[in-house]
């Protein structure tokens, strides 16, 4: 029994010291890991913020370029082209703009990308409606497009631009 107490006398303080050092080192390494992760996150945010802002800028430019009033200005109706080919040229321009900016979806939220796609689709729908309504119309009617469809498409573009502004405020 005396040997047991003698062994316990030496081992118990060692176990207490070991446990104390173990828990202190574990806490220290956890704090260091959190600090490293925090620094890495801050560096990533610092590096990705300019790219993310550029993506918002490009998406805003895309939305302004597909706005129907801007499309009409970019594609003046020529005397030798029909209204249908004029609308199809505008539709092709919207598709090309969209394909040019598809990579921006990597830098924005999924919800924002859905809103941008909705605005693009509304613009294409407005152009399709205009083609079907103006298929046999003259140039003057083709240039004016239907006010209601233009307003719906512009509303979708304005909603998307507003969503971009809101998302930028989150990251700034």
């Amino acid at each position: 029994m005396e040997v047991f107490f003698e062994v316990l006398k030496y081992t118990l303080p060692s176990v207490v010291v070991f446990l104390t050092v173990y828990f202190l080192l574990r806490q220290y390494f956890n704090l260091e890991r959190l600090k490293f992760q925090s620094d890495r996150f801050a560096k990533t945010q610092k590096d990705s913020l300019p790219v993310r802002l550029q993506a918002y800028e490009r998406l805003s430019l895309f939305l302004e370029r597909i706005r129907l009033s801007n499309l009409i200005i970019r594609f003046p109706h020529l005397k030798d082209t029909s209204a249908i080919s004029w609308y199809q040229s505008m539709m092709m321009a919207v598709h090309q703009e969209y394909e040019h900016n598809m990579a921006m979806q990597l830098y924005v939220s999924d919800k924002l990308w859905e809103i941008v796609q909705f605005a693009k689709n509304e613009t294409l729908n407005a152009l399709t409606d205009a083609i079907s309504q103006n298929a046999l119309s003259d140039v003057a009617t083709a240039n004016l497009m239907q006010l209601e469809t233009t307003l719906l498409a512009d509303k979708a573009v304005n909603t998307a631009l507003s969503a971009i502004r809101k998302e930028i405020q989150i990251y700034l």
Side-chain angles (χ1 to χ4, degrees):
M1 189 63 125
E2 209 173 288
V3 173
F4 175 73
F5 286 122
E6 195 66 31
V7 169
L8 190 63
K9 184 169 81 175
Y10 292 114
T11 58
L12 187 62
S14 327
V15 168
V16 169
V17 168
F18 172 77
L19 289 175
T20 304
V21 168
Y22 172 77
F23 286 114
L24 286 174
L25 284 175
R26 191 172 121 193
Q27 184 179 11
Y28 171 76
F29 287 126
N30 282 339
L31 287 174
E32 285 297 313
R33 183 176 41 85
L34 288 173
K35 186 173 139 184
F36 175 74
Q37 288 174 345
S38 174
D39 290 345
R40 196 170 90 203
F41 178 76
K43 184 180 182 314
T44 303
Q45 284 293 94
K46 179 184 162 202
D47 293 343
S48 70
L49 185 63
V51 174
R52 188 178 296 253
L53 289 175
Q54 184 180 22
Y56 293 132
E57 180 181 319
R58 283 185 59 185
L59 285 178
S60 298
L61 181 62
F62 163 71
L63 291 167
E64 285 299 331
R65 288 177 66 88
I66 68 167
R67 188 184 297 271
L68 288 179
S69 56
N70 292 338
L71 279 173
I72 292 170
I73 293 170
R74 281 183 34 220
F75 291 92
H77 188 65
L78 303 175
K79 292 180 182 178
D80 55 341
T81 59
S82 67
I84 293 175
S85 64
W86 183 60
Y87 283 123
Q88 288 172 338
S89 297
M90 288 193 289
M91 289 179 76
M92 186 179 288
V94 171
H95 282 293
Q96 288 172 345
E97 286 287 334
Y98 178 74
E99 289 171 2
H100 180 72
N101 290 296
M102 279 181 66
M104 296 303 105
Q105 67 182 305
L106 297 173
Y107 304 106
V108 299
S109 70
D110 291 338
K111 184 68 175 170
L112 178 62
W113 185 249
E114 288 174 16
I115 293 170
V116 169
Q117 285 181 314
F118 178 75
K120 176 200 66 126
N121 291 336
E122 283 297 309
T123 301
L124 291 173
N125 289 340
L127 287 170
T128 303
D129 290 346
I131 287 174
S132 64
Q133 294 172 5
N134 293 322
L136 302 173
S137 299
D138 62 344
V139 175
T141 307
N143 280 334
L144 292 176
M145 297 176 83
Q146 302 303 327
L147 183 62
E148 185 176 323
T149 57
T150 303
L151 291 177
L152 285 174
D154 279 352
K155 184 176 180 184
V157 169
N158 289 336
T159 302
L161 287 169
S162 176
I164 289 173
R165 282 188 219 100
K166 286 179 184 175
E167 192 165 307
I168 287 173
Q169 293 302 317
I170 292 171
Y171 291 106
L172 293 182

